[in-house]
Amino acid sequence: MTMKIQGDGVGLAAEVRGRGDGPTLVLLHGYPDTRRVWDGVVERLAPRFRVVTYDVRGAGESGRPRPRAAYRFVHLMNDLRAVLDAVGGDGPVHLAGHDWGSIQGWEAVTTMPERFASYTSISGPCLDHAGMWGRDGAPPSARLAQALHSWYIGFFQLPLLPELGWRTGMAARIIARSEGMPGHGHFAPTLSRDGAAGVSLYRANMPDRLLHPRKRTTDVPVQVVIAEKDPFVTPRLAAEAPRPYASDLRTVRLAARHWAPVTHAAEVAELIAAHADEN
């Protein structure tokens, strides 16, 4: 059943599923998804965990604030705190994120680590780690490879054109074709609005964090699931960027493209569960 949680000036649509007395696990979705991206994973985790999902601001059934500044990390983290306070239960919870959900997850475990018992990151590096890696840790060939994979980040900084791509359906068709998910695959009926609103995530956060990265460290046990065929995040960035900053880090490779929670739901569920069980 969907419930409404009051976030940082915006209503958030959330669900709690699974075993009521099990360990709490929060799953953060990415862009341009909704919480529905996790359905196949939740189905497999529900017998063992109390699973919390919610539509982040700008997506699905949650509110869509208009100002770009409303999508900054400070507001995203306040939303997550509101969800944890409302349905997180007692004590630290397990966390997993995909794409922008993973980016948010890194911000969470590096700024409020006391709230989390474990973290699984899929296809979304910490922006600060990526900025440090690009500036100090990566050879020119690796930086060039990632820049080619991340072409859309620059495109999303342009005015009007990204929103037009979503509203005409062109962006959805490109994603569905590139990921082998005809008919928009798992995407919600709100996809065009979600895509247009969520562009602000990139505009509000990426230029500053990638160009002026902060040192973000965490002692939360982190598992990075590397989607080896991801067209957006290279395996090298996923594996190397967090190493200096996460004291308890493991990496696991999966022969998947970007939307592994959809195409490899069973494997993703088992990886999340195994990491949570160990912590």
Side-chain angles (χ1 to χ4, degrees), residues 176-252:
R177 190 176 299 114
S178 69
E179 287 295 311
M181 294 188 291
H184 303 171
H186 69 283
F187 294 115
T190 54
L191 176 61
S192 62
R193 287 184 291 151
D194 299 341
V199 168
S200 291
L201 292 167
Y202 292 83
R203 294 171 177 165
N205 298 293
M206 282 196 159
D208 177 52
R209 292 299 182 93
L210 293 178
L211 294 175
H212 308 286
R214 300 142 172 85
K215 187 176 181 180
R216 296 292 202 197
T217 63
T218 187
D219 293 325
V220 175
V222 176
Q223 172 179 233
V224 174
V225 178
I226 300 170
E228 293 181 319
K229 303 175 184 179
D230 195 322
F232 307 120
V233 181
T234 62
R236 189 159 187 176
L237 170 63
E240 294 180 0
R243 282 179 186 165
Y245 311 107
S247 63
D248 185 349
L249 177 71
R250 62 178 289 189
T251 58
V252 182

Side-chain angles (χ1 to χ4, degrees), residues 50-197:
R50 179 174 177 268
V51 187
V52 178
T53 58
Y54 69 97
D55 292 338
V56 303
R57 59 177 55 211
E61 299 174 65
S62 291
R64 292 182 179 80
R66 293 181 64 85
R68 178 186 305 181
Y71 291 83
R72 289 176 180 163
F73 275 123
V74 62
H75 304 297
L76 298 172
M77 292 301 99
N78 286 341
D79 288 346
L80 177 55
R81 287 188 188 93
V83 172
L84 294 175
D85 291 343
V87 294
D90 298 327
V93 306
H94 301 285
L95 181 69
H98 171 254
D99 186 79
W100 253 97
S102 178
I103 292 172
Q104 290 187 61
W106 276 110
E107 182 75 4
V109 299
T110 58
T111 59
M112 47 178 170
E114 71 282 355
R115 304 297 300 260
F116 305 104
S118 75
Y119 176 48
T120 294
S121 164
I122 309 168
S123 293
C126 172
L127 295 187
D128 296 284
H129 296 170
M132 293 281 195
W133 178 81
R135 187 185 69 185
D136 303 325
S141 59
R143 292 200 299 269
L144 176 60
Q146 183 56 55
L148 293 174
H149 282 255
S150 301
W151 61 270
Y152 58 94
I153 295 176
F155 176 70
F156 283 168
Q157 305 304 315
L158 300 175
L160 302 178
L161 287 179
E163 289 90 340
L164 182 63
W166 284 112
R167 288 167 183 153
T168 60
M170 182 182 302
R173 289 192 293 272
I174 291 172
I175 289 175
R177 190 176 299 114
S178 69
E179 287 295 311
M181 294 188 291
H184 303 171
H186 69 283
F187 294 115
T190 54
L191 176 61
S192 62
R193 287 184 291 151
D194 299 341

